[in-house]
Amino acid sequence: MKIVVIGGTGLIGSKTVPILRQGGHEVLAASPSSGVNSITGEGLKEAMTGAQVVIDLTNSPSFEDRAVLEFFETSGRNLVPAEAAAGVRHHVALSIVAIDRTDNGYFRAKVAQEKLIETSGIPYTIIRATQFMEFLGGIADSSADGNIVRLPPGLFQPIAADDIAPIVAEVALAPPRNGISEIAGPELAPFNEIVARYLKAVGDPREVASDPEARYWGGRVEERSLVPLGEARLGRIGLDEWLRRSKARA
Ligand SMILES: NC(=O)c1ccc[n+]([C@@H]2O[C@H](COP(=O)([O-])OP(=O)(O)OC[C@H]3O[C@@H](n4cnc5c(N)ncnc54)[C@H](OP(=O)(O)O)[C@@H]3O)[C@@H](O)[C@H]2O)c1
């Protein structure tokens, strides 16, 4: 089966592509660097020819509110007709848990991406994941005020990219759900505590302060604002194991 992974060179894409190839599928890791651009439309028609499944793992180069919204809207509007013309039978996208009940600019852009998928007429499955463990450093940086990282004490349940990629591959090979399924990491703890454990483990001297008023990308975080409320599939890699693996790779 031919599977196109748009964003196949990114963090999750580069882990998903080899899993699908090992399963004997013809997989195109599509991205601007391979001549496929979902914003300009370059290479999309050729990439989609003969594809049965498309996995969208793209991300915006800029996280600024307007830029990210424009990215996911434009990309989605270009992907839908290209996939429809090629007769794609399953569109899979990676989204984020709680985007429709926690407000920030990035989440609004992901809601727009999901809406385009849901109204596209192409059978689909949306996987909503919690924050990636690989993103913990970026979160600390974005919440830093000098040497203090201010984070709300709401619950947090990050998941490792190594747990996500096999699930994305499995979902892509299963029948479309025409709905959303949620995945999260195996540990649930206050946001500030997880980031503090991460910073300590990587030798970052910054202190983490628990601050209920601290914002996440500009949005307020209540106790369960970032974690699944219903049934979610859980990854196996906890934070300590992920830190061990990251150190071994470095
Ligand atoms: N970070 C989180 O905590 C989190 C949580 C849940 C879900 N997600 C979602 O997971 C998805 C994948 O994230 P990631 O961290 O794996 O992304 P990433 O590492 O930033 O990779 C982004 C990919 O998108 C490609 N790309 C960028 N612009 C493109 C364009 N115009 N046309 C085609 N491809 C383009 C990049 O190609 P180049 O390599 O050529 O630039 C790269 O392959 C995102 O949609 C994100 O919203 C993230």
Side-chain angles (χ1 to χ4, degrees):
M1 174 158 77
K2 179 174 172 185
I3 302 169
V4 178
V5 183
I6 308 275
T9 54
L11 172 66
I12 306 300
S14 61
K15 290 179 184 285
T16 305
V17 166
I19 297 172
L20 291 165
R21 284 193 179 136
Q22 275 156 25
H25 300 285
E26 177 194 347
V27 186
L28 177 64
S31 74
S33 46
S34 70
V36 184
N37 192 318
S38 63
I39 298 299
T40 62
E42 181 199 354
L44 273 187
K45 187 171 176 238
E46 297 77 5
M48 296 300 172
T49 303
Q52 282 145 303
V53 175
V54 171
I55 308 176
D56 183 0
L57 298 174
T58 57
N59 207 355
S60 171
S62 164
F63 286 10
E64 187 273 323
D65 286 6
R66 281 174 67 94
V68 72
L69 180 64
E70 206 172 298
F71 178 90
F72 283 114
E73 285 190 336
T74 307
S75 182
R77 288 198 182 115
N78 285 333
L79 287 174
V80 170
E83 291 180 32
V88 166
R89 300 202 305 241
H90 191 183
H91 177 97
V92 176
L94 188 56
S95 190
I96 309 176
V97 165
I99 53 168
D100 48 0
R101 54 186 167 84
T102 300
D103 188 48
N104 66 54
Y106 191 88
F107 282 15
R108 285 195 289 276
K110 295 296 285 185
V111 168
Q113 180 191 23
E114 286 192 359
K115 286 222 166 81
L116 284 166
I117 294 166
E118 286 161 353
T119 55
S120 68
I122 298 166
Y124 69 92
T125 307
I126 293 168
I127 304 165
R128 283 188 180 175
T130 51
Q131 284 63 41
F132 304 163
M133 289 188 192
E134 287 75 4
F135 198 41
L136 290 173
I139 290 172
D141 291 346
S142 74
S143 309
D145 179 6
N147 274 336
I148 306 285
V149 175
R150 291 186 193 286
L151 285 166
L155 292 170
F156 199 58
Q157 201 171 352
I159 183 166
D162 280 338
D163 269 335
I164 297 171
I167 295 174
V168 171
E170 187 188 308
V171 166
L173 299 174
R177 293 178 62 137
N178 294 312
I180 295 170
S181 58
E182 297 200 323
I183 61 174
E187 284 175 75
L188 184 70
F191 202 166
N192 57 302
E193 284 183 24
I194 291 192
V195 174
R197 273 170 65 196
Y198 165 80
L199 291 181
K200 193 171 172 213
V202 300
D204 188 320
R206 288 177 293 181
E207 292 288 322
V208 178
S210 169
D211 177 355
E213 295 307 317
R215 304 286 154 139
Y216 179 61
W217 298 111
R220 195 179 163 80
V221 174
E222 309 290 349
E223 191 183 3
R224 303 194 69 87
S225 292
L226 294 171
V227 295
L229 296 180
E231 194 186 316
R233 185 164 166 182
L234 299 185
R236 295 197 184 123
I237 304 166
L239 183 60
D240 291 341
E241 169 63 14
W242 178 79
L243 286 161
R244 259 194 299 279
R245 290 185 186 200
S246 306
K247 276 186 191 149
R249 277 177 193 153

